[in-house]
Amino acid sequence: NVFDEVELLKYRENNASVTEEQESPLEEVTVDNPPVEELEEEEPKKEEVKETNKKVTKEYIGYLEISKVNLKQGLVSKNSYYNHVNRNIQILNESDYPDKENGNVILAAHSGSGYLSFFKNLYQLSTGDTAKIYYKNNIYNYEIVNIYNVPKVGTVAINRDYSKSCLTLITCTKNSKTEQTVYILELTSVVKEGDGNV
């Protein structure tokens, strides 16, 4: 937790830049390692990194905040070692970054009770609730417009308005081993960090 807080502060101070990846909108995304609800681990396990003479660092490019469920977690770039549901909130390969017009930021994470279950309380959200993404000196404000369940089969159909910028959150459905819940949020405003109009 201390490490994450320090990294969030470093992000706010440095605002690391990211190379924008251009991708066409997709109706379905692949979830290689679908989030699971029953992820229960008492403490972090040491992970082996099979890279020689390279130091793997966890550098945030931004972070997700959902006040209603006390969630504030850093996001890493798509090509980061830590961009995986077993290490952090994952930005899926099909995802855009928040600054792409009419793009879709697609995030997946575990639910359940483990220390990596960043989306464990999303089931408490309902339409009209809000989320923020802090990215490149801007705060992107989103509002939930749709919540639906899909079978856990490795792909997820995303039903959204392609004329709007969106945020999609994917996690396992509470008390189900066979379904995932998809939260569709639409962008309501973008403000500069520090403007006070958040």
Side-chain angles (χ1 to χ4, degrees):
N1 287 341
V2 171
F3 174 79
D4 282 339
E5 287 298 319
V6 168
E7 288 302 309
L8 288 173
L9 288 172
K10 281 170 52 179
Y11 160 78
R12 294 192 88 167
E13 290 172 4
N14 300 329
N15 275 301
S17 63
V18 173
T19 303
E20 185 68 40
E21 296 181 18
Q22 299 297 322
E23 298 172 358
S24 58
L26 299 175
E27 290 186 278
E28 288 195 350
V29 295
T30 302
V31 184
D32 292 329
N33 296 290
V36 295
E37 182 183 9
E38 299 302 322
L39 182 72
E40 296 179 14
E41 295 186 38
E42 294 300 318
E43 57 187 71
K45 294 179 182 175
K46 290 184 180 178
E47 298 185 42
E48 289 184 29
V49 180
K50 295 178 181 177
E51 293 186 42
T52 56
N53 298 330
K54 285 188 179 178
K55 183 178 178 184
V56 178
T57 59
K58 189 177 191 180
E59 185 175 328
Y60 291 140
I61 60 166
Y63 61 97
L64 171 69
E65 181 177 7
I66 306 176
S67 298
K68 183 174 179 179
V69 294
N70 273 343
L71 173 64
K72 190 173 189 180
Q73 178 61 32
L75 303 172
V76 295
S77 67
K78 290 186 208 176
N79 59 358
S80 169
Y81 168 81
Y82 291 98
N83 189 41
H84 192 280
V85 290
N86 291 334
R87 299 181 191 102
N88 198 47
I89 293 174
Q90 181 175 354
I91 301 176
L92 298 186
N93 287 334
E94 297 87 349
S95 176
D96 300 303
Y97 288 108
D99 55 355
K100 181 173 181 183
E101 187 175 348
N102 299 332
N104 188 14
V105 180
I106 309 168
L107 306 177
H110 290 297
S111 58
S113 59
Y115 74 98
L116 289 171
S117 300
F118 298 110
F119 285 178
K120 64 185 171 190
N121 293 320
L122 291 193
Y123 73 93
Q124 298 173 16
L125 298 175
S126 55
T127 54
D129 287 334
T130 60
K132 298 176 183 178
I133 292 182
Y134 295 76
Y135 180 72
K136 290 187 177 179
N137 292 316
N138 290 314
I139 303 170
Y140 295 81
N141 295 292
Y142 298 88
E143 181 177 315
I144 297 177
V145 295
N146 192 13
I147 301 171
Y148 58 93
N149 294 346
V150 295
K152 192 187 298 184
V153 293
T155 59
V156 175
I158 296 178
N159 302 317
R160 74 176 187 97
D161 183 344
Y162 285 91
S163 68
K164 298 183 178 178
S165 294
C166 293
L167 166 62
T168 300
L169 307 176
I170 303 169
T171 195
C172 284
T173 303
K174 187 169 177 64
N175 299 323
S176 173
K177 295 185 184 295
T178 60
E179 290 188 319
Q180 294 180 104
T181 302
V182 180
Y183 301 81
I184 305 293
L185 298 88
E186 292 179 351
L187 185 67
T188 56
S189 67
V190 180
V191 296
K192 284 279 186 201
E193 281 193 70
D195 276 358
N197 298 326
V198 184

